[in-house]
Amino acid sequence: MQTLQTLDYAVLLTYFVAVSFYGYWIYNRKKNLAADSGDFFLAKGTLTWWAIGASLISSNISAEQMTGMSGSGFKLGLAISSYEWMAALTLIIVAVFFMPVYLKNKIYTMPQFLSERYNGRVAMIMAVFWLLLYIVVNLLSILYLGAIAVSGITGWSFELCVFLLAIASVFIALGGMEVVGYTSAIHVFFLVFSGVLGLYVTLNLVSLDGGMLKGLSILQGEMPQHFKLIFDQSNQNYIDLPGLSVLLGGMWIANLNYWGCNQYITQRALGASLPVARKGILFAAFLKMVTPLIIVVPGIAIYYLYQHNLIDTSLINITKDGATTADSNRTYPTLLLLLPKGIKGITVAAFAATVIASLAAKVNSISTIFTLDIYKKAFQPNATEAKVVSIGKWAIVISTILGIMLTLALGNALMGEGKQGFQYIQEYTGFVSPGIFAMFLLGFFWKKTTSNAALFAMIGGFIFSVVLKFLPGMINLEFLYSFGFSFQINGVYEIPFLDRMAMVFVLCVIGMIIISLVENAKGIKPKGLEIDASMFKTSTSFTVGTLIIVGLLIALYSAYY
């Protein structure tokens, strides 16, 4: 196994220079045009359906998936694919039910939705909340996991990789959403190329040059525990993926909140027409069905190679306080080092491209929320278009600097030393997602929902999550074990975080209904959105695509249940 050679370094450096100058060129070109906030933040009417779909996937499948999910494949196996495969179905739900509401009511940011449906106070609190979440959890995790992978492959220092990824993303983000969208679409090609290549190399190594199918057969035969999609309570990883919760419980909360109530994701489709947005989202759903093959399965193969000493185990092992453990976050860089000479540079560039695209999209969303929902509403309501765009660009730069500082200060403590980076993101986002999703869901489809009910879900949801997180340390929750809602770890019965999310969501909905009914009885009439049944009708081609995805999901879960 060899590290990067001269040719690989040349390809990688060429990519960094090219992508930075491309972003800088677009930035200068747009700077000379009339400033338009709709064009800068949303790329109104300029993204095609394939650009929307590819951009969704490129920005989603970044360091947290490539590094984090391949690491979870190493540790958990195919079961982690539920986040991807259930997301495919979630995307269809978002396309059918969420996008028509946003587009019909001309919603361009998530705080704007909250302002129009509830009131400005709810919107402002959530705008600040989202900014903190995006910077502290998302920017930090993408930068940390991306830099860990690039550092592990190239041998460059972790700090240098953090700066390189961050700087390249700033240049792309300064060009606005159109640049983010189309560069992300280009990256998808390289993402799939490198993923297929990694799948081929790892399975071929497993089979000792006997081919991919033989390698897959060996993995399934010798590691059946890594090919179960639904864990039972005898599985030590039940705490991460608690049984049927991935099909009937908290996984839905995580996915629907992420894909339907997340500025970072929905922003790509909010500047398009409904037919174009739906086509793009359906395309993204099909890409989601493929991603476990190029991310999770290679992670399982690396675990097999590691267990059988067929790779250099020092690439994965870490030592602390005299003890050696496997760091699953090193799975993906180990995979890339298995690739042949000359290809490594292209593959590392492809990975870096997805990380940069995701970072650029994230800071663009941070900038959009800060500029349109905080600066323009609280500080300068009459700001000119040029001023709004200028503030947006400054927000991109400042949020990136904050992301760098947090990554260097906290990244290793939160996600290093053998921890699963992907699970870190899911769990800590899960502290707020149940309340947010409840607030959106009832805001969409129940006109009686009041602003105070929304505030209850927002604040109460977070409090409920914190209480349930620390409750096992205060109360013995063994009684929940028989229901599948607790799992023993080091003598303590913990609540799996997916189940915790489902419980919090139910509490939020119940509380919102009670508060709304009480306030309705007092004569308070909440604001509703413009909704009619015709908005949810879909085209024949969309329906056919949906049926294909549903059929594939039924087949997969039947085969690997």
Side-chain angles (χ1 to χ4, degrees):
M1 188 182 302
Q2 294 180 323
T3 56
L4 298 188
Q5 303 299 303
T6 302
L7 178 61
D8 299 312
Y9 282 117
V11 171
L12 183 57
L13 286 172
T14 298
Y15 167 77
F16 274 118
V17 172
V19 77
S20 298
F21 273 100
Y22 174 70
Y24 185 69
W25 174 73
I26 294 293
Y27 165 68
N28 272 301
R29 188 190 68 170
K30 285 180 171 288
K31 184 170 66 173
N32 297 324
L33 299 175
D36 184 275
S37 59
D39 174 60
F40 181 78
F41 293 113
L42 298 169
K44 285 186 180 179
T46 60
L47 294 181
T48 60
W49 64 266
W50 55 266
I52 291 171
S55 176
L56 281 169
I57 297 304
S58 179
S59 298
N60 166 248
I61 307 288
S62 179
E64 65 266 41
Q65 264 77 17
M66 302 298 285
T67 304
M69 188 168 279
S70 62
S72 292
F74 178 95
K75 183 178 180 181
L76 304 178
L78 194 64
I80 198 67
S81 301
S82 287
Y83 277 102
E84 302 300 293
W85 287 334
M86 295 304 292
L89 189 55
T90 302
L91 279 163
I92 290 171
I93 293 172
V94 169
V96 174
F97 296 106
F98 286 42
M99 291 312 300
V101 177
Y102 288 140
L103 296 177
K104 179 75 171 180
N105 292 275
K106 297 181 179 180
I107 302 296
Y108 301 128
T109 71
M110 299 303 97
Q112 180 198 346
F113 163 78
L114 297 177
S115 178
E116 295 191 11
R117 177 58 181 85
Y118 298 116
N119 59 35
R121 180 174 57 170
V122 173
M124 187 60 68
I125 293 173
M126 274 311 304
V128 174
F129 216 48
W130 265 310
L131 288 183
L132 292 173
L133 179 68
Y134 286 172
I135 294 172
V136 175
V137 176
N138 297 111
L139 270 188
L140 186 156
S141 60
I142 296 170
L143 262 178
Y144 177 82
L145 293 172
I148 280 288
V150 175
S151 175
I153 300 159
T154 62
W156 299 343
S157 72
F158 169 76
E159 292 78 9
L160 174 61
C161 293
V162 168
F163 281 108
L164 283 175
L165 292 172
I167 291 170
S169 69
V170 167
F171 281 123
I172 291 295
L174 287 175
M177 179 50 69
E178 183 179 356
V179 179
V180 172
Y182 280 110
T183 54
S184 297
I186 294 169
H187 298 332
V188 166
F189 170 80
F190 293 103
L191 171 69
V192 174
F193 168 77
S194 61
V196 171
L197 192 59
L199 179 66
Y200 168 78
V201 169
T202 53
L203 291 181
N204 209 41
L205 282 173
V206 168
S207 67
L208 300 177
D209 296 328
M212 293 175 63
L213 292 179
K214 183 179 178 181
L216 184 60
S217 177
I218 290 172
L219 292 180
Q220 291 179 300
E222 296 191 22
M223 298 194 308
Q225 75 282 1
H226 266 63
F227 283 86
K228 283 185 66 66
L229 280 173
I230 305 297
F231 292 156
D232 57 41
Q233 286 175 290
S234 65
N235 192 303
Q236 63 179 350
N237 297 311
Y238 186 86
I239 191 71
D240 293 310
L241 293 165
L244 289 174
S245 287
V246 302
L247 294 179
L248 304 174
M251 183 72 78
W252 281 107
I253 312 300
N255 272 326
L256 284 167
N257 175 71
Y258 179 85
W259 293 103
C261 313
N262 185 350
Q263 183 71 30
Y264 170 56
I265 294 299
T266 56
Q267 190 166 340
R268 279 144 191 75
L270 293 179
S273 65
L274 181 59
V276 171
R278 277 181 169 165
K279 286 179 182 178
I281 294 172
L282 182 63
F283 179 45
F286 275 101
L287 291 175
K288 269 291 180 187
M289 295 298 297
V290 176
T291 51
L293 296 177
I294 60 177
I295 297 175
V296 179
V297 175
I300 298 172
I302 292 292
Y303 180 79
Y304 176 91
L305 297 171
Y306 172 79
Q307 290 291 317
H308 290 78
N309 293 311
L310 295 175
I311 57 173
D312 183 356
T313 56
S314 67
L315 293 169
I316 293 178
N317 285 331
I318 58 172
T319 302
K320 185 184 180 185
D321 300 329
T324 299
T325 185
D327 184 357
S328 59
N329 288 329
R330 298 187 179 190
T331 301
Y332 191 70
T334 301
L335 163 65
L336 295 191
L337 287 174
L338 295 173
L339 299 178
K341 176 182 176 181
I343 297 297
K344 289 188 183 76
I346 298 174
T347 309
V348 174
F351 171 74
T354 63
V355 175
I356 291 166
S358 187
L359 286 170
K362 182 62 70 178
V363 295
N364 185 280
S365 296
I366 291 169
S367 169
T368 302
I369 290 177
F370 173 78
T371 307
L372 299 184
D373 297 300
I374 296 179
Y375 172 78
K376 194 170 182 180
K377 290 186 178 179
F379 298 102
Q380 290 289 337
N382 299 318
T384 63
E385 289 287 280
K387 182 66 174 179
V388 168
V389 172
S390 176
I391 292 295
K393 290 176 179 178
W394 275 109
I396 286 170
V397 174
I398 292 171
S399 61
T400 302
I401 292 173
L402 290 173
I404 292 172
M405 294 169 62
L406 287 169
T407 301
L408 296 178
L410 301 174
N412 193 62
L414 294 172
M415 288 177 286
E417 301 170 359
K419 301 181 182 73
Q420 292 184 73
F422 185 77
Q423 295 298 86
Y424 157 80
I425 299 166
Q426 301 307 319
E427 178 170 7
Y428 286 95
T429 302
F431 275 80
V432 297
S433 53
I436 293 174
F437 180 57
M439 191 166 47
F440 272 73
L441 187 65
L442 269 66
F444 279 153
F445 303 115
W446 194 45
K447 291 186 177 182
K448 294 181 179 182
T449 310
T450 64
S451 300
N452 285 330
L455 280 172
F456 167 81
M458 181 194 314
I459 299 170
F462 178 75
I463 294 173
F464 289 148
S465 295
V466 172
V467 170
L468 290 178
K469 170 68 175 177
F470 295 103
L471 190 63
M474 299 179 282
I475 299 175
N476 185 357
L477 299 179
E478 185 178 1
F479 71 95
L480 291 175
Y481 180 83
S482 59
F483 299 101
F485 295 141
S486 70
F487 188 76
Q488 189 176 25
I489 297 181
N490 299 324
V492 177
Y493 282 88
E494 301 274 358
I495 303 174
F497 73 85
L498 284 177
D499 288 335
R500 190 169 72 229
M501 289 171 62
M503 294 175 187
V504 172
F505 173 74
V506 171
L507 290 172
C508 287
V509 169
I510 292 172
M512 289 182 72
I513 291 173
I514 293 172
I515 292 170
S516 296
L517 291 177
V518 169
E519 293 192 322
N520 292 162
K522 293 180 179 179
I524 296 176
K525 295 182 179 180
K527 297 182 290 184
L529 297 175
E530 187 177 346
I531 294 177
D532 62 76
S534 63
M535 294 165 52
F536 307 118
K537 293 180 180 178
T538 61
S539 66
T540 302
S541 59
F542 185 93
T543 303
V544 170
T546 298
L547 291 175
I548 292 172
I549 287 176
V550 170
L552 289 172
L553 287 172
I554 292 173
L556 286 166
Y557 278 91
S558 298
Y560 295 107
Y561 184 87

